[in-house]
């Protein structure tokens, strides 16, 4: 009897527990149904389901504050098939608004394997407003709208390789968007998290970037090249002012880009640099003391090894008696090969490593290559003299530019960078770039001597020279490896590096043209472009040219206050304004109502529509700059 009472008691307890569980589940279901009901689109309730990302992503700017990437709002329209009372009516009334045919909308309902489906993704603010109006007018059921954050890239292809791209999931896929993901959109557990990401100001200077971009496009067309690498850097601070890898993607149509546009040739592409490398070999040999400025060699056009089984090194023509200065000016392969033989392998290798070759620069981009520089234990008899003139070693353009900072800073190598500063959402500076000295491969005297040896007017790089600003230049032409041991007889890389003004370098520019057609030599293909680019950069920064009048000035300029631009119901007058002054046109509300197109660089000289024109949702605004 006692056992039966205990069993009955346990059974009663189980019933109470079952009832309690059933009651809790019922409450949860009712709560969910109530919440879902508030999202249903009826005439009395809001049709907008807010599904906001947890973090508003920070913006990307150039060093002057010109917008390169910013967050805007878009909307996804979805449906629950079990709750849509009339798909035919939905298709009929939505079609004129969302830009899909009735058949396309109905097909989405038919093909959806689940009850939930997206009718249209990434609708603008104006499209969303019209959809909401139609839903309420027609009392459509089962439709939902969700707010999403979208990334807009005002400059399209300009600096696109650096900026990168944001995927639909809110994570960067390339460039700074990828490498700085946790800065632009910090995780919620980040100290000081506020729901808003940090802003990144790149070291890029948009006008310089535009100069390099246009020069690269022209060179691609002229030489029918496979690719172009073009860099400009502040020689003193290591800040990258212009960064081009052509062809490059249009960030607003990134997913349609061909594979060749997605390659970052500037940091990921490893190649043999050719004769540009001679300046680093010469500086190394001088610093190590195995040659001096008076050491000479007689070049008859061929350098033969003592072991006759080793293939000789050749020059395009005999150069006669040359010192190290003559080797640089005439780009003598035989001379630099001969001079390198005076230096032990390990000393030569270690000195070039001090220039940064064989290691990553640490630039703030994903996938950077460390280059290829085999250790001396893997060298053959031919390796060292071949490395001396830029073959049998793989480098990146970034490594070459960083190494060249040695000649502008008294022998010290400055670390290169793409990030100028980082601020929080309120503009407070959290990080500010400061120049970094990474090593000191050579003395200040040797650095100065190398600039003198590279004088454009004395060497084969004379086409990069300017009449009124001294230029330190070295050109290069490198065969491209083909197969395991050989080189292509038709494919080359033409290149040129320049530091200017040569007597006190402020800027470094480097350009490489991959597989040019019709002409292969850096002195012919690239040097003229380097000269033209340097001239424009000199004007951009107001550098002194010989023969110009120097005026003493306090350095203080009284700037005219910028007039604020208000965008209301009518189009304002923006003639003469710069892109920086027009930042208000990029705010999320205006850019979601209007389609704003920018053409060119500089200041607005033509606007469509005209001043005073009524602005309506969906209208296209075209601003032309020059």
């Amino acid at each position: 009897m006692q056992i039966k009472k205990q069993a009955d008691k346990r059974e009663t307890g189980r019933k109470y527990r079952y009832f309690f569980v059933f009651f809790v589940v019922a409450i949860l279901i009712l709560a969910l149904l109530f919440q879902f009901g508030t999202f249903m689109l009826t005439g009395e309730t809001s049709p907008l389901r807010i599904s906001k990302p947890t973090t508003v992503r920070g913006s990307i700017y150039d060093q002057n504050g010109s917008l390169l990437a910013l967050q805007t709002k878009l909307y996804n329209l979805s449906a629950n098939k079990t709750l849509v009372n009339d798909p035919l009516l939905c298709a009929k009334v939505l079609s004129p608004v969302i830009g899909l045919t009735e058949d396309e909308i109905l097909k989405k309902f038919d093909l959806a394997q689940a009850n939930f489906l997206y009718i249209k993704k990434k609708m603008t603010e104006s499209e969303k407003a019209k959809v909401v109006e139609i839903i309420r007018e027609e009392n459509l059921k089962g439709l939902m709208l969700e707010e999403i954050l979208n990334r807009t890239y005002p400059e399209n292809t300009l600096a696109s390789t650096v900026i990168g791209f944001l995927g639909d999931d809110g994570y960067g896929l390339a460039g700074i968007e990828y490498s700085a993901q946790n800065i632009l959109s910090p995780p919620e557990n980040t100290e000081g998290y506020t729901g808003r990401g940090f802003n990144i100001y790149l070291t890029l200077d948009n006008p310089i970037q535009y100069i390099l971009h246009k020069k690269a496009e022209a060179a691609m067309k002229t030489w029918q090249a496979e690719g172009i690498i073009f860099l400009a850097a502040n020689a003193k601070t290591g800040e990258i002012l212009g960064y081009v890898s052509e062809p490059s993607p249009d960030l607003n149509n990134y997913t349609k880009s061909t594979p060749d546009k997605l390659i970052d040739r500037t940091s990921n592409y490893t190649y043999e640099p050719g004769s540009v490398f001679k300046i680093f070999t010469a500086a190394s040999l001088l610093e190590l003391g195995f040659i001096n400025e008076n050491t000479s060699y007689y070049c008859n056009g061929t350098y033969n090894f003592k072991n006759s089984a080793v293939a000789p090194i050749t020059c395009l023509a005999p150069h006669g008696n040359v010192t190290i200065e003559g080797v640089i000016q005439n780009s003598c392969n035989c001379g630099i090969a001969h001079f390198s033989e005076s230096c032990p392998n390990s000393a030569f290798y270690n000195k070039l490593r001090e220039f940064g070759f064989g290691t990553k620069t640490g630039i703030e981009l994903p996938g950077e290559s460390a280059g290829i520089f085999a250790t001396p234990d893997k060298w053959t008899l031919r390796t060292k003299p071949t490395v001396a003139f830029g073959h049998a070693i793989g480098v990146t353009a970034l490594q070459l530019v960083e190494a060249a900072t040695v000649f502008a800073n008294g022998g010290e190598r400055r670390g290169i960078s793409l990030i100028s500063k980082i601020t929080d959402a309120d503009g407070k500076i959290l990080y500010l770039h400061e120049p970094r000295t990474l090593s000191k491969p050579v003395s200040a005297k040797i650095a100065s001597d190398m600039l003198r040896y590279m004088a454009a007017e004395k060497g084969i790089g004379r086409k990069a020279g300017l009449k009124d600003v001294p230029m330190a230049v070295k050109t290069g032409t490198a065969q491209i490896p083909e197969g395991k041991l050989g080189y292509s007889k038709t494919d080359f890389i033409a290149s040129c590096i320049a530091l200017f003004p040569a007597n006190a370098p402020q800027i470094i520019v480097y350009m490489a043209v991959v597989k040019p057609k019709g002409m292969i030599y850096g002195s012919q293909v690239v040097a003229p472009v380097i000269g033209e680019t340097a001239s424009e950069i000199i004007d951009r920064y107001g550098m002194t040219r010989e023969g110009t009048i120097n005026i003493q000035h306090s350095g203080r300029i009284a700037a005219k206050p910028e007039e604020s631009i208000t965008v209301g119901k009518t189009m304002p007058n923006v003639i003469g304004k710069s892109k920086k002054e027009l930042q208000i046109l990029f705010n999320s509300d205006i850019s979601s109502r209007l389609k704003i197109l920018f053409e060119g660089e500089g200041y607005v000289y033509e606007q469509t529509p005209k001043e005073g024109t009524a602005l309506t949702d969906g209208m296209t605004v075209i601003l032309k700059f020059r």
Side-chain angles (χ1 to χ4, degrees):
M1 179 66 75
Q2 185 67 25
I3 293 174
K4 185 177 185 304
K5 286 182 179 180
Q6 290 176 351
D8 290 343
K9 189 176 181 180
R10 284 196 297 271
E11 182 65 26
T12 301
R14 272 197 296 269
K15 288 180 180 179
Y16 280 120
R17 284 196 296 273
Y18 290 149
F19 176 77
F20 178 75
V21 170
F22 175 79
F23 178 76
V24 170
V25 170
I27 292 295
L28 288 173
I29 291 173
L30 286 172
L32 287 171
L33 288 173
F34 175 78
Q35 187 178 30
F36 182 75
T38 63
F39 293 145
M40 293 298 298
L41 303 179
T42 67
E44 294 74 37
T45 60
S46 170
L48 178 61
R49 182 184 70 180
I50 303 297
S51 179
K52 293 184 178 180
T54 54
T55 303
V56 177
R57 195 175 185 87
S59 296
I60 301 175
Y61 303 85
D62 84 332
Q63 61 169 264
N64 305 306
S66 294
L67 271 163
L68 299 174
L70 74 156
Q71 204 82 301
T72 56
K73 289 190 294 186
L74 293 177
Y75 301 86
N76 291 338
L77 175 63
S78 60
N80 186 323
K81 288 200 297 186
T82 62
L83 301 175
V84 173
N85 53 351
D86 192 344
L88 288 174
L89 177 61
C90 280
K92 180 180 179 180
V93 296
L94 290 175
S95 175
V97 174
I98 64 176
L100 297 175
T101 66
E102 292 182 34
D103 288 342
E104 287 174 329
I105 296 173
L106 291 172
K107 191 174 181 179
K108 289 178 181 287
F109 277 94
D110 294 338
L111 296 179
Q113 297 186 6
N115 288 329
F116 177 85
L117 67 130
Y118 281 108
I119 297 176
K120 183 164 184 188
K121 291 185 175 182
K122 295 187 175 181
M123 296 192 308
T124 64
E125 185 78 35
S126 59
E127 286 178 313
K128 182 265 295 185
K130 292 174 183 176
V131 167
V132 170
E133 185 179 351
I134 288 172
I135 288 171
R136 286 174 172 160
E137 286 179 354
E138 301 294 339
N139 194 28
L140 300 179
K141 300 289 196 301
L143 300 181
M144 290 168 286
L145 282 162
E146 60 180 348
E147 177 185 310
I148 61 170
L149 293 179
N150 181 59
R151 204 65 163 166
T152 298
Y153 302 98
E155 299 289 355
N156 298 317
T157 58
L158 195 70
S160 60
T161 306
V162 174
I163 299 165
F165 183 73
L166 192 70
D168 288 341
D169 59 357
Y171 287 88
L173 299 178
I176 291 292
E177 291 278 34
Y178 176 88
S179 59
Q181 169 66 29
N182 287 344
I183 296 174
L184 293 165
S185 183
E188 293 184 20
N189 60 358
T190 301
E191 184 179 351
Y193 176 80
T194 63
R196 299 169 70 185
F198 304 113
N199 299 317
I200 292 179
Y201 289 75
L202 300 178
T203 59
L204 298 180
D205 183 350
N206 256 16
I208 301 299
Q209 181 70 27
Y210 183 74
I211 291 169
L212 268 59
H213 179 74
K214 287 302 180 183
K215 298 293 184 187
E217 282 187 331
M220 280 281 289
K221 184 177 180 180
T222 299
W223 302 109
Q224 300 176 50
E226 180 182 284
I228 301 283
I229 297 167
F230 209 172
L231 284 168
N234 183 317
K236 297 298 185 183
T237 66
E239 293 172 298
I240 301 296
L241 305 173
Y243 185 114
V244 171
S245 174
E246 281 292 320
S248 56
D250 179 343
L251 294 181
N252 291 307
N253 290 285
Y254 189 85
T255 55
K256 297 179 181 178
S257 298
T258 53
D260 62 322
K261 292 183 177 181
L262 304 181
I263 301 171
D264 184 353
R265 294 167 181 80
T266 307
S267 67
N268 303 162
Y269 182 48
T270 297
Y271 58 98
E272 297 186 3
S275 292
V276 164
F277 199 77
K278 287 172 183 167
I279 59 178
F280 307 112
T281 297
S284 297
L285 296 175
L286 288 166
E287 178 67 24
L288 291 168
F290 292 101
I291 64 169
N292 59 50
E293 61 181 7
N294 297 316
T295 306
S296 64
Y297 167 78
Y298 186 83
C299 171
N300 64 7
T302 303
Y303 178 75
N304 293 301
F305 291 86
K306 293 179 181 179
N307 183 340
S308 59
V310 180
I313 288 169
T314 60
C315 286
L316 289 175
H319 295 115
N321 201 55
V322 291
T323 61
I324 193 64
E325 182 175 2
V327 164
I328 298 300
Q329 290 173 2
N330 297 297
S331 202
C332 179
N333 292 343
C334 298
I336 201 73
H338 172 77
F339 290 147
S340 73
E341 293 282 49
S342 64
C343 178
N345 290 356
S346 58
F348 185 62
Y349 173 81
N350 290 333
K351 182 55 67 176
L352 288 176
R353 291 276 296 187
E354 288 182 46
F355 277 94
F357 297 111
T359 58
K360 297 180 180 181
T361 66
I363 198 78
E364 304 93 339
L365 287 173
E368 183 190 5
S369 171
I372 302 171
F373 194 12
T375 52
D377 59 298
K378 296 181 175 64
W379 289 6
T380 66
L381 289 174
R382 205 174 189 274
T383 301
K384 182 174 59 181
T386 305
V387 168
F389 62 88
H391 281 73
I393 183 172
V395 305
T396 66
L398 291 173
Q399 287 176 333
L400 289 172
V401 169
E402 185 175 271
T405 63
V406 167
F407 306 126
N409 295 286
E412 295 181 352
R413 175 166 61 104
R414 295 282 192 261
I416 59 173
S417 177
L418 271 168
I419 295 181
S420 174
K421 66 180 178 180
I422 299 172
T423 70
D424 64 15
D426 297 320
K428 180 183 177 182
I429 296 176
L430 306 177
Y431 165 82
L432 189 64
H433 170 77
E434 293 184 2
R436 297 174 297 125
T437 297
L438 303 178
S439 62
K440 189 172 183 180
V442 300
S443 68
K445 181 183 184 306
I446 290 175
S448 177
D449 287 345
M450 289 305 304
L451 293 171
R452 178 164 51 85
Y453 300 159
M454 294 167 65
E457 65 272 14
K458 296 180 181 179
I460 63 173
R462 62 182 62 88
K463 288 191 175 182
L466 300 174
K467 293 181 179 180
D468 50 5
V469 175
M471 301 281 291
V473 175
K474 185 68 192 81
T475 60
T477 306
Q479 290 177 280
I480 294 179
E482 185 177 71
K484 292 184 178 180
L485 299 173
Y487 285 85
S488 171
K489 295 181 179 179
T490 57
D491 294 336
F492 296 81
I493 293 178
S495 62
C496 182
I497 195 165
L499 295 88
F500 57 92
N503 53 354
Q506 300 297 313
I507 304 291
I508 300 170
V509 289
Y510 172 76
M511 183 183 200
V513 179
V514 182
K515 298 183 181 180
K517 293 179 176 61
M519 182 65 72
I520 62 171
Y521 299 112
S523 58
Q524 303 293 326
V525 174
V526 186
V529 182
I530 289 291
E532 294 169 5
T533 302
S535 185
E536 293 191 38
I537 292 175
I538 288 165
D539 288 341
R540 159 70 180 163
Y541 291 130
M543 296 181 185
T544 302
R545 293 180 181 269
E546 292 179 8
T548 57
I549 299 173
N550 290 319
I551 301 174
Q552 297 297 320
H553 195 280
S554 66
R556 295 181 178 274
I557 300 174
K560 180 182 177 181
E562 293 183 359
E563 298 177 4
S564 61
I565 301 170
T566 303
V567 181
K569 295 182 179 180
T570 61
M571 182 68 192
N573 178 20
V574 295
I575 299 298
K577 301 295 183 182
S578 66
K579 288 183 181 178
K580 183 177 180 180
E581 293 175 286
L582 296 176
Q583 285 187 20
I584 188 172
L585 296 179
F586 289 116
N587 77 49
S588 59
D589 178 57
I590 294 171
S591 62
S592 63
R593 290 195 296 112
L594 305 173
K595 183 177 182 181
I596 304 170
L597 300 179
F598 292 82
E599 298 179 4
E601 192 70 32
Y603 300 88
V604 179
Y605 72 93
E606 182 179 323
Q607 67 176 61
T608 303
K610 302 293 185 184
E611 179 185 5
T613 303
L615 295 175
T616 58
D617 287 350
M619 178 180 284
T620 297
V621 175
I622 302 174
L623 303 178
K624 296 183 178 181
F625 295 77
R626 67 182 176 193

